[in-house]
Amino acid sequence: MQFSVYQQSHIGGRKVNQDRMGYLYTRDALLLVLADGMGGHARGEVAASIALQSMSALFRAQATPYVRKPERFLEEALLQAHQDIARYARERAMPDGPRTTVVACLIQHNCAVWAHCGDSRLYWVRGGQVLACTRDHSHVEHLIAKGLADPSERNTHPDRNKLYSCLGASSVPRVELSRQASLQAGDVLLLCSDGLWSVLPDTEIAHQLSTRSIVQAVPDLVGMATAIAGSRGDNTTALAIQWQGAGELPAAGDDSVVSTQLLPEGEVTTRIAGRDGDADPFDEDDIEKAIAEIREAIEKSSQLLK
């Protein structure tokens, strides 16, 4: 399994970057996750951090070295993250718990399947065309489905930020799953927060990802979005891979290309970033406690299954 990868985040005009992103891989499986903490609720960055750590822990437990049931894994991972965020809020008696949107993609055996909750998006691009894009869990999408709004209003409608599904709310989130997508060499998968897609048209996103390497395209897309949004812009985050499938080992010095061919069975490599793209240390005691509890619960479940 071989792919190029690049991730970047920018705080925009906000005081805190509440976006989190990362990827994990074994010899035969790759998990990409991006979470956008909701700024209208307390500690959105904590919800996003817990979501990534919760899903990471489940991947470590089930990717041995690949996940047996991809769709079931993604649905369970998002629901587990929701429960962990809700527990964090209950234990601290928070009147309005932290919330986050999330999009995740699992790739193995040259096939990708993804899941999302809220308005963090995934784009599947090939040859300058968007083959698939997640549909936001927003009021404007509901209006479009009912014929009460035009699809051209997706990025500008005043109700586009009114979400009916997210992680951490009092109601059980709606997790939407894709069908399995067969990848070809050169395909690009982009996970991004609404700070990117709400500013740039899909045609520009597809053009940049198809005409340039992701190492060039991703920072340029983030830069374009933040420049257009200006001082009132949202956090802007993007994580992209260009799929290469099986092949020769990458050339020496090409740090953007990851090959899992020599990775020992049972080993998991993790690259989680936050804030403005730096490694997220998760150094708050309460988050560390929450993650320790997640891992303990997963270990107990794994022992019961043996």
Side-chain angles (χ1 to χ4, degrees):
M1 187 169 67
Q2 193 165 294
F3 54 92
S4 299
V5 60
Y6 195 88
Q7 56 183 340
Q8 183 168 322
S9 185
H10 194 284
I11 195 170
R14 304 298 171 86
K15 294 181 179 180
V16 177
N17 192 340
Q18 296 185 316
D19 293 353
R20 296 290 185 269
M21 61 184 166
Y23 60 98
L24 304 88
Y25 58 91
T26 66
R27 191 178 62 191
D28 296 323
L30 167 66
L31 176 65
L32 312 166
V33 185
L34 184 145
D36 180 355
M38 297 175 67
H41 303 270
R43 310 297 299 280
E45 71 279 6
V46 172
S49 295
I50 291 176
L52 259 74
Q53 290 291 347
S54 179
M55 296 177 69
S56 297
L58 195 62
F59 180 78
R60 287 178 174 277
Q62 293 194 20
T64 55
Y66 63 91
V67 175
R68 268 56 181 180
K69 297 181 179 180
E71 292 88 353
R72 179 178 175 181
F73 164 80
L74 286 173
E75 185 172 23
E76 287 181 350
L78 266 65
L79 292 175
Q80 181 63 55
H82 167 72
Q83 294 169 9
D84 292 332
I85 295 167
R87 182 177 60 189
Y88 173 92
R90 285 196 308 272
E91 290 178 348
R92 288 151 186 82
M94 298 176 70
D96 186 20
R99 303 179 187 184
T100 186
T101 66
V102 67
V103 59
C105 179
L106 178 64
I107 303 172
Q108 50 189 31
H109 308 139
N110 280 316
C111 286
V113 61
W114 52 86
H116 77 288
C117 183
D119 64 354
S120 292
R121 286 187 182 179
L122 178 142
Y123 289 85
W124 176 24
V125 178
R126 175 187 296 165
Q129 301 295 318
V130 177
L131 298 186
C133 177
T134 53
R135 187 177 66 176
D136 306 331
H137 296 145
S138 63
H139 185 55
V140 67
E141 285 293 342
H142 174 75
L143 294 176
I144 291 171
K146 294 290 185 180
L148 301 176
D150 190 89
S152 64
E153 299 180 77
R154 278 191 172 96
N155 294 6
T156 58
H157 196 281
D159 286 347
R160 70 171 184 83
N161 288 325
K162 294 181 179 179
L163 305 182
Y164 60 81
S165 186
C166 67
L167 304 187
S170 57
S171 57
V172 177
R174 171 183 175 180
V175 176
E176 190 166 341
L177 292 164
S178 74
R179 296 181 178 179
Q180 290 214 14
S182 181
L183 300 180
Q184 296 181 10
D187 284 2
V188 175
L189 293 167
L190 171 72
L191 284 65
C192 63
S193 62
D194 64 333
L196 185 78
W197 65 255
S198 66
V199 179
L200 300 178
D202 291 356
T203 52
E204 181 64 26
I205 293 173
H207 173 72
Q208 291 291 332
L209 293 174
S210 300
T211 59
R212 315 177 72 192
S213 71
I214 58 172
V215 176
Q216 297 170 315
V218 169
D220 281 356
L221 287 169
V222 171
M224 291 167 60
T226 54
I228 293 170
S231 61
R232 299 177 62 87
D234 196 359
N235 305 151
T236 303
T237 302
L239 165 60
I241 69 153
Q242 184 170 48
W243 185 247
Q244 298 181 22
E248 297 180 359
L249 293 174
D254 190 350
D255 295 334
S256 70
V257 178
V258 175
S259 177
T260 67
Q261 296 176 35
L262 301 179
L263 197 67
E265 186 171 352
E267 184 172 323
V268 180
T269 299
T270 304
R271 296 287 184 271
I272 292 179
R275 299 183 177 95
D276 285 324
D278 296 329
D280 191 344
F282 299 100
D283 53 2
E284 296 184 22
D285 291 341
D286 48 8
I287 297 180
E288 289 293 348
K289 179 182 176 182
I291 302 312
E293 291 171 351
I294 294 167
R295 290 174 178 167
E296 182 181 356
I298 290 174
E299 287 175 1
K300 289 180 179 178
S301 297
S302 298
Q303 291 173 0
L304 290 174
L305 293 173
K306 291 180 178 179

